[in-house]
Each structure stands twice: as C-alpha cells, then as structure tokens.
Amino acid sequence: MNTALSWIKAYVPGLSCTDQEYCDAMTLSGTKVEGYERLDKNLDRIVIGQIEKIEKHPDADKLIVCQVNIGTKTIQIVTGAPNVKEGDKVPVVLDGGCVAGGHDGGPLPEEGIKIKAGKLRGVESDGMMCSIEELGSSREMYPEAPEYGIYIFPEDAMVGADAVEALGLRDTVFEYEITSNRVDCYSVLGIAREAAATFRQPFCPPQVTVHDNGEDVHDYVGVEVEDTDLCSRYCARVCKNIKIAPSPRWMQRRLAAAGIRPINNLVDITNYVMAEYGQPMHAYDLDTIAGHKIIVRRAKDGDTFMTLDGQLRNLDSEVLMICDAEKEVGIAGIMGGENSKITDDVKTVLFEAATFYGPNIRKSAKRIGMRTEASGIFEKGLDPVNAAAAIDRACQLIEELGCGEVVGGMVDVCEPIKPLRKIPFEPEKINRFLGTDISREDMLKTFEMLELSYDPATEEITIPSFRQDLEGFADIAEEVARFFGYDKIPVSLPSGEATTGKISFKGRVEEKARDIAEYCGFSQGMCYSFESPKVFDKLLIPADSELRKAITISNPLGEDYSIMRTLPLNGMLTSLSTNYNRRNKDVRLYELGNIYLPKSLPLTELPEERMQFTLGFYGEGDFFTMKGVVEEFLEHVGMKKKPVYDPEDKKPFLHPGRQADVVYQGERVGYLGEVHPKVAANYGIGARVYLAVIDIPKVVSMATFDRKYEGIAKYPAVTRDISMVVPKAVLVGQIEAILEQRGGKILEGYSLFDIYEGEQIQEGYKSIAYTLTFRAKDRTLEDADITAAMKKILNGLESLGIELRQ
C-alpha cells in the first residue's frame, strides 16, 4: 500500500511533521512504514520560465537559442528540443541547480545531475529546459508530456514560480506493510484516520453529497443476486450523458503519486475511489448490458470468458460471474469483460460496488490464473457498508468534474448486515493487562479518534463496521496501547506464579543431541517431511511393511511430496547423495525431525509425531565410529549404563552383517549400521554410508540430568590385562556385561584395546584383549583382592565358551 503525504494531509489538515517523524510515529502506532521516497529528490533550483524569443544557433543546425523569462530576469538557454515555440512556459533549471535524470529511461543516478552555465558550440547557455523524465517522472504519470522534448506548462502557469511545486512533485510517497486483518487500511482514508489518531489531529474525511437529476435508477437497470452466499451486497448507480476527457490535474497528481497511471476522467474516478475508500469498483457501458439487467451467479463448468486484457479464461461452477440477461459481462471481484468495456463513445455508465465473499475471490483468482489489484483487496473481506459510500463518492466526482449526469437513486441488493459489535469497556482491566496507568478519559479520547463510540449507560464500546479486526477485550487493549505508545509502557515482570521460563526437558535432550553431533564433526541438515511413495522402493522396504502405511496429503505439491514420512532416512540419504555427487569428501550430517505414524488409515485422529535423531556419514570412519557417537550421546543425557546391540532384527535398508538395534535396559531406543549397497546405489552413492537413528521420546523417558560428583581418588589404581580366545558368535557386549556383573565394586573401568582374527587363531574364534582397572575408595587394594575379582570374572567368561589366550 502506497500513499502520498499530500493526500493524507488533505484529510488531516493539521498534520505537520518531517518525513522521518511521520515514518517513526506511524510505525510505533502500528501502521508499519516500510520506507518512503521524496518525489522531488535531486530536484533543485527549477522554476517556470516563458520563452520570449527563439533564434537559430549560428554554428549548429539542430540547436536553437532561446531567451527565457524566469520572472526576475531573462536568461539565454541553448537547446535541441524540437517541440518548443515562443510563448511556451517550460521548467527551467538555473545555474547550479540539479535534475534527477536523463532522457534514456534508465535508472536515475543517486546524486542527480548538476547543471552549470557554459557554452554550447560557442554560444552562452545559462541553464537548461527540462523534459518530464529529467524531473524524475515519466509520460505514464504525466500523459500530457510530449514523447520527445520539453515539458510544456498550461497557459495559466505563473512565470518564476517553483516548477517542482507546480508539477505536484513536492511530495513524499510512503510504502506501508498492512496486515491482512486491517483491510480498512488498504485505503487512503484508513491510513489518514490512523495518522490523525497518531498525531492527535482532527480527521476530516470528504463530505459526500450527490446531486442527481431526479430520475429513478430502477427505470434504467435491475439487479438480481442468485448466489447470496458469495455476494452479500451489490450496489448499482447509473450516470448518463458521459463526456470522456482528461481528469483534472489534482486527481492525476494524486493518482500518479500513488503509482496509478492517469487515463481519463471515468477510469481515473474508479481508480481514485478504490484508492481513497479501499472499495474496488467497476464501470460498464450500460448500452452493452442486454435487457438492462445484472444477474450475479456462478459460472457453469466448462464456460469460457474473454476478460478486458483480451485473454480467454476457463471457468467452473465455483467462479462468481456478473451477467446480463444474455451473457457474462465480468468475473466478480477480478476483472470485467471485453464485451462490456468502456470506450470513448460511451453515453451511459453503470457503476458497480459490491461485497463479495473473500475466500471465493481468492480461490477463483488462483483457479483462472489471474490476480488483480481488486481481487487482492476483495479476498481480505470488505465492509458491506463501504460499498454504498464508495459508489456515492464516485457519483459525486462524476458530477463535480463535469463528467456526466447522475441518475437518482441506487439499486441496492443486500443481505441483512450484521449489527455492530459491542465490547465491554473495562479500563482497570486494560491497565492491569498492559501494565500501565492510563486514565479512563485518555482511553475514551483514543476511541473517539478511531470512531469507536462509547455508551455510558451500558459501558460498552461500539465497533464501527470497517474495523472487522476488533473482536474482544485484547483488541481494545491493543488500541489503547498502540496510541498511548509502546515505548512509554514501563518495563515490568509478568504477574503469575512463575516469571521466568526455561528450556523443557525434551528441549534439553535435543540440545544435547545437537551439541554431541556437532562436537563429533556433524553438520545439521533440514529435510522435508513430505516424501514420495517411491522412497519405500529405494529403501527396499517390503510391500507388506507397516512403514508403507503413510499419510497421504490431500493437496500435495506433486507426487514427490504426496505422503508424510514414516522414517527419516530418505532426506538424510538424499543430502549425503548431493554432497557425494558434488565430490565433497568425509561428509557428516545430522537431523532432528519428526516422523508421522498414523494410528489408523484413513485418519480418524491426529497421527503420532515422533522426533528422530538421525546421523549419517560417509568417508573416514566405520560402524564403530557411529557406535561411539551414539554412546557419547546416551552417556551425556544420563544413560550411564552401556547399551546392548542386537544384530538379529534385520532391517532391509542396512547391510545384513553390519547393523544392530540399540537396546537400553530392555528398550529398543534406535538402530545403526552400514547402508545396504543396493540402497546406496539407488541414491547414487559410491561409498560406504553409515546411519544411526535414535528415537528421542524413548530417550527422554530414560534420560536424566541429575549428576553426583565425587572427589579425586585418594588411593592408587591397579590394572590387569586379559587376552581371550572368544567364539565369533559371542558379542563384545556380552563380555562387558560379565565384566560389570562380576567385577564388583572395585572394578573402576575397562577398555577394549585389541581384536584379532587370523592364522594364529583357530577357525570360528577371535582374539579379544581388555585392560581392567581396579580401585577402592577407602584403601589400597591388595593382590588378594585383585585375584578374587579376576577369578569371578574368568568363571563368568568360561560360561560363554571363552578361554584365556596362552
């Protein structure tokens, strides 16, 4: 939304501030200003001059020498402009002045162009006459300007006056970021009302009075609304004896400053009212309306319609159309039709101002592939009261500009308008809510400026129809806060039992997962929750697997994003594949993301969302590298006991001999392993890939951040090395369970330092060596203590078929 400051001041005449002050104050009061631009930027010392005499240049055929009266004196200017003649009034840049740009239509220089007196082909020239482009604008916004040459002022322009002021360029255009719930601020009047309240100045909207010719509009046109659910109000007025001409300069300047190209008086009036009131309007040539009747109804499936831009649009039964007795003449809220457009021969005009159902306009614009400025406003949901006010304003302008004759009355087909909303006024509660001490009187003054009326009898605030965003107590409190000044509200702690927040326990576990992963060299990735059904085939998931029972998206972006993921591997493998194919070495990635497990299909309730901690890498490292990262994480979240690794649950996407479930105290908390070679090939990865997936909800149920710290040991440790011949079927985890169980309280720790398989070891066995560390907290251990502990350990190992290596 853009507005010119001069247009705002027309309705807030007491407004007096700098551009920056306006920007800051409006932003603080809730109407965010994105930025602003002065139209007279880089324009300096430019006056209106009148050419008194023209002579040929003595040494150049294409140059002329002009004597130009600038009010205080006459100066000489040499120019090559082909369109000037004696008596013309033109913009003149004096010696030392500045213009915005040149004739080429390219981007304007940041600092402008300085003009100095000098000589052109030996003849003195004391300044320069300007084209509209050199003044930083264009023929689109100044249609009276010549295509090539100097801008010519009308005859009533005052010689010596400020040319920039005369052109309406002493102005600033502000750009606002308007939230979709404040549809009233998609209008100059809405912004002006906010500015008046912000600067505590009177708001003076235009006084609309329509002088009609006494005829009855119902004799000219009838209106029937078939689909009242999509059109709650349709207003129509007729103007006859239309005279198409340029609109007045004040209207052209306001439209141009707002970025709207002036065309002619009729089109400019509809654009002006849309900008001023925020109510899109449309004008039809009444002579093209069959039966002089308007019917508002849905289109039929398969219909086509030629819009004003000459494009044939495909329609269906969800698109609302404006029709006459025989044909469609416009797409409601979007664009009119080629068959009823206004031409220079128009004699009688039908004005339309309506309230259409916003969601339908938005969907229709998307369905037919056409979004206009009007549809962008309609889709936000308009105030039905505004339609009648806007159409009356258009008719007033028709009369005032001499554009035509207004026929009496208005055809108004309207569903019952909802009564105005009332909200209890509770000043004490508002102050408690905001942490302020604002007087009741000051609150009521703010409401009065915003046109919110107060009833002392009921102590209620009546909300005007244009403020659809005000629904309850909190909205009223916000109005008080933003005009009192957010910057003036004192700092205070929120009241309640707790005044400080902290990270949840689950959040702490996830934070620890990130810390451990990044400490181990992994970088975080973010993967899509939407996937393709083809993922299951790439991962070799069996056809009858529960993992294939995924939630289907009802409106997917495409087949590749049509289901919710039930396992987190596809995104990780896709990311690793991208890195591999870009020849990145030793890539390590991790992700914390949800999987979505439906309780039944089709869905009858929300699915279970489970956070998964997924790790993946290729390059330097192996299965045991990944195993170490998993154990590091579990240990840091307080799961002190070592997990058990179960290789029996074969997962099809992992290598059959290099995978294991991670089991902690009898619960499976995740799995890890090398990716199956076929799966790696499906993802285009030509290296060994390792994955680990940890189920965060299960970890959260077992984790703890309680820590018990012990002092430094006072007594020495004793170490023993033990080398064993172990059957290959025996897992290291089984051995370590025996060590922990039988080592007793004096076993401080153990460390695996060697695994060997080869010629010196018999077939079906492997050699494993550990270092055991013993220490007592209250004494120095004796040899007998160590021998007894070792004996218990060896007895336990023998039960697994393990022998000491000789």
Side-chain angles (χ1 to χ4, degrees), residues 91-130:
V92 176
V93 189
L94 305 178
D95 180 25
C98 186
V99 293
H103 291 279
D104 57 5
L108 300 178
E110 188 64 29
E111 300 297 330
I113 300 173
K114 287 284 185 182
I115 303 300
K116 294 182 179 179
K119 292 184 177 182
L120 281 177
R121 301 291 293 270
V123 175
E124 295 285 345
S125 182
D126 298 325
M128 184 182 83
M129 293 181 282
C130 303

Side-chain angles (χ1 to χ4, degrees), residues 36 50 179 198 220 256 337 341 348 374 394 433 442 462 490 601 651 712:
Y36 61 89
Q50 185 170 24
T179 54
T198 299
Y220 284 80
K341 68 179 181 180
T348 307
F433 185 68
D442 285 344
T462 302
L601 288 177
K651 291 180 169 49
I712 298 173

